[in-house]
Amino acid sequence: MRSEPVLVLGATGYVGGRLVPRLLEAGYRVRVMGRSEAKLESRPWASHPLMETVQGDVLHPASLEKAARGCWAAFFLVQSVGGRGNGSRDAQRRAAWNMVAASLHSSLERIIYLGPLGGDCNTPAGRDGRSRCEVAATLQSGRVPVTVFLAPTILGSGSASFEVMRYLADRQPVVLAPLWMQAPIQPISIRNVLFYLMKCLEQERTIGETFEIGGPDILSFQDLIQIYAELAGLRKRIILQAPFVTPRLGALWIHLITPVPAAIVEPLSEGLVRGGVCHDTRIHSILPQDLLGVRETIRRALEHVEKQTVEACWTDAGALRPPEWTWYGDEQFAGGAIMRCGYSIRLRASPEEVWEHIVRIGGQTGWYYGGSLWRMRGWLDKVFGGTSLSRGRRHPSILYVGDALDFWRVLEVAAPQRLLLLSEMKMPGEAILEFEITDLGNGQTDLKQLSRFRPRGIAGLLYWYSLYPPHQWLFRGMLKTIADAVGKPVLGGPARFTPKLENRCAATDTAKLRDEHFHLS
């Protein structure tokens, strides 16, 4: 085993989040780079003795060059940067050029890139696919040889493809099948993908080559839905052919009935229209392995979902970019008024007993009170293109920085004192929700719930004041219900409190995240 580290870019994404612990288990030294060091350090593998974390951004050449220094191999698993649409595609191409520039004066001997399998890169319908083709071509134009793996649909618990299939089958006894659901595809298990990525480091015959990797079965996405329904114990789904449904229209419909946004579904469907069947099988002789069939892959994924042991999820990816004002409480820094609504309750309980119920909030647990209001807000968010409550959470009782939590994003987890959430709802402003637990001594604990909102224009002010009375009712009810769940005596409250205008994060690890954000901005 070489002493130099392997660099992994995209370590908090779906594939990268599964690859890193396996590299560490195999004895590799691993260096990961991310825009938020706090997000990286919250992962369970961050404390491994062979792990190095580096703060940086693939869109900032200097930080990328620093991360690559001293590494002998690099995994380029960055799939979406810089927003959505054309901005994201341009950013992907720029990230690839930055990688080429960073490798010029580095010790890198090889780069491994995982991209989607799709037809002709010049196909007009394949804008996202063309950008991925350009990423591969750009990386290959540099000094360092690149191994390219082109995969069709990747199936596994937490993958976007699996989630689309699962929710379509679970929620629709009758499924409209546009052309992309009828096209032949060759899905591959995430387990087999990880094998190829890891073993290519040991096989020199893969250096500088491009391989198509797929599973043993060739079928269609509508076939996957029927197989899932069978394995999940559902009735056979009725499939209605709908060739008139465009990828864009189909993506919008899937966005409404599943947690996966249209921005992810549309390129996925475009890729299936272009074709998802492997024609190059050289990889089978170079890196032989037992390929899992579709049925076994879905069965294993279902087991992980049912046992709540999903290792990584498509929602993990993405930058953690909180508004700068969230690290402070003063209107002067924020450039305008910050609205506040806070309630507290005092319990005869330990902070750990209270934290146990705070850290489980959202997902299947729900928000403890006003369920119909939360569901209504989630439905409105979905209609206006947001994430809604359907996104849920990866694990019922474990939260990491950067995790998706319904239509929130976790900014800080400091057990058993603090949980800080950033809203990703569609609204005319920016909002955060905070739970703070204080040990008062003598077996008493104070639980505070604070909402802060920075309105955007007159619409933001109207939004805040129109919802202010319901928020007061909701927060009081939430604290009461949480207290009932803790099962300890209530000593006071819920009572309204006025938050101080101060930097609330100066003495916490969140200040580190704030500084990282300013530096990269």
Side-chain angles (χ1 to χ4, degrees):
M1 194 65 64
R2 299 186 58 157
S3 60
E4 308 99 306
V6 174
L7 176 64
V8 180
L9 303 175
T12 58
Y14 178 69
V15 177
R18 289 172 176 254
L19 177 64
V20 168
R22 284 161 176 77
L23 289 171
L24 293 171
E25 290 171 6
Y28 287 98
R29 285 186 58 200
V30 179
R31 180 182 297 168
V32 298
M33 187 190 81
R35 284 167 281 194
S36 168
E37 195 169 0
K39 183 177 179 180
L40 292 174
E41 291 178 349
S42 72
R43 295 306 188 260
W45 35 257
S47 59
H48 195 284
L50 296 177
M51 168 60 63
E52 303 175 25
T53 60
V54 178
Q55 183 220 348
D57 193 333
V58 291
L59 298 181
H60 291 78
S63 64
L64 186 55
E65 182 176 346
K66 178 181 177 182
R69 193 173 300 141
C71 296
W72 72 276
F75 287 94
F76 193 87
L77 304 177
V78 180
Q79 297 296 333
S80 180
V81 290
R84 297 180 178 180
N86 292 329
S88 177
R89 288 186 283 270
D90 292 341
Q92 288 173 12
R93 290 189 286 267
R94 198 168 44 151
W97 280 115
N98 289 343
M99 186 69 214
V100 170
S103 65
L104 286 176
H105 305 290
S106 72
S107 56
L108 287 175
E109 300 174 15
R110 58 188 309 185
I111 298 171
I112 299 98
Y113 171 68
L114 175 66
L117 178 66
D120 187 358
C121 289
N122 297 316
T123 303
R127 292 172 298 173
D128 187 78
R130 288 203 309 275
S131 71
R132 303 287 177 83
C133 289
E134 291 172 4
V135 167
T138 300
L139 293 173
Q140 290 171 324
S141 68
R143 176 190 66 83
V144 179
V146 180
T147 301
V148 177
F149 289 107
L150 301 177
T153 303
I154 297 177
L155 290 181
S157 59
S159 74
S161 299
F162 177 79
E163 292 297 291
V164 169
M165 173 191 66
R166 179 164 75 99
Y167 279 97
L168 285 177
D170 285 345
R171 298 183 176 182
Q172 291 191 125
V174 179
V175 180
L176 290 178
L179 287 175
W180 65 267
M181 284 193 184
Q182 305 168 37
I185 56 175
Q186 196 170 345
I188 183 171
S189 168
I190 181 63
R191 183 179 300 244
N192 295 134
V193 173
L194 295 172
F195 177 91
Y196 284 134
L197 292 176
M198 288 190 59
K199 292 302 180 181
C200 77
L201 294 175
E202 305 171 8
Q203 178 53 264
E204 292 187 358
R205 292 171 62 190
T206 62
I207 297 177
E209 298 291 336
T210 298
F211 301 100
E212 297 177 354
I213 56 175
D217 302 319
I218 299 178
L219 66 180
S220 66
F221 202 88
Q222 65 185 32
D223 295 329
L224 290 179
I225 293 175
Q226 295 289 26
I227 293 173
Y228 172 88
E230 177 188 339
L231 295 176
L234 304 174
R235 291 184 178 180
K236 185 176 181 180
R237 279 16 208 163
I238 300 174
I239 305 291
L240 299 180
Q241 307 303 319
F244 55 88
V245 177
T246 64
R248 176 60 178 166
L249 185 60
L252 291 174
W253 171 248
I254 291 174
H255 168 76
L256 286 176
I257 62 175
T258 78
V260 185
I264 291 179
V265 177
E266 188 172 4
L268 170 67
S269 60
E270 286 180 349
L272 296 182
V273 169
R274 294 195 304 273
V277 177
C278 300
H279 300 288
D280 177 10
T281 60
R282 290 175 299 138
I283 194 65
H284 296 166
S285 59
I286 297 175
L287 295 177
Q289 63 168 315
D290 292 330
L291 296 172
L292 294 182
V294 164
R295 286 182 174 275
E296 179 63 15
T297 299
I298 295 177
R299 186 188 65 79
R300 294 190 182 198
L302 274 171
E303 287 181 356
H304 285 293
V305 171
E306 292 169 359
K307 295 179 180 178
Q308 299 178 332
T309 56
V310 177
E311 187 177 351
C313 185
W314 65 271
T315 59
D316 296 341
L320 192 61
R321 292 177 174 173
E324 295 173 358
W325 69 267
T326 60
W327 311 122
Y328 297 87
D330 59 284
E331 281 84 350
Q332 181 178 1
F333 185 87
I338 298 176
M339 308 303 181
R340 297 171 176 83
C341 182
Y343 280 84
S344 66
I345 192 169
R346 189 158 48 96
L347 304 173
R348 188 173 295 283
S350 68
E352 290 77 14
E353 289 173 320
V354 178
W355 176 259
E356 179 183 347
H357 298 275
I358 295 300
V359 78
R360 290 179 174 272
I361 201 166
Q364 294 181 353
T365 300
W367 293 84
Y368 288 107
Y369 189 75
S372 59
L373 286 181
W374 285 105
R375 287 189 292 272
M376 182 183 300
R377 184 62 182 88
W379 180 82
L380 289 173
D381 195 58
K382 176 70 77 171
V383 168
F384 287 98
T387 58
S388 84
L389 291 174
S390 63
R391 190 168 58 174
R393 51 183 293 165
R394 180 189 52 82
H395 191 278
S397 61
I398 298 175
L399 287 177
Y400 298 138
V401 173
D403 272 5
L405 180 57
D406 292 337
F407 40 40
W408 303 88
R409 183 71 61 176
V410 178
L411 287 186
E412 183 183 353
V413 185
Q417 292 91 23
R418 191 166 185 249
L419 176 63
L420 186 65
L421 307 175
L422 170 69
S423 171
E424 294 186 342
M425 290 178 268
K426 295 293 184 179
M427 61 172 68
E430 300 162 335
I432 62 174
L433 181 63
E434 177 182 357
F435 294 91
E436 187 177 278
I437 301 172
T438 304
D439 188 352
L440 302 177
N442 298 321
Q444 299 182 25
T445 296
D446 181 64
L447 170 62
K448 288 185 173 69
Q449 180 175 340
L450 170 64
S451 171
R452 286 184 281 166
F453 179 73
R454 182 177 183 271
R456 188 180 301 118
I458 188 66
L461 292 173
L462 291 174
Y463 177 88
W464 173 261
Y465 285 113
S466 64
L467 292 178
Y468 191 71
H471 277 163
Q472 290 182 304
W473 170 80
L474 184 65
F475 284 7
R476 284 196 300 265
M478 287 179 66
L479 289 183
K480 286 181 180 179
T481 309
I482 291 172
D484 292 340
V486 175
K488 298 293 183 177
V490 176
L491 303 177
R496 179 74 185 273
F497 77 94
T498 302
K500 295 180 181 179
L501 299 180
E502 62 182 6
N503 178 359
R504 302 179 57 85
C505 322
T508 68
D509 290 339
T510 312
K512 182 179 181 181
L513 179 60
R514 175 203 67 207
D515 295 338
E516 294 167 5
H517 174 68
F518 290 168
H519 173 70
L520 290 179
S521 296

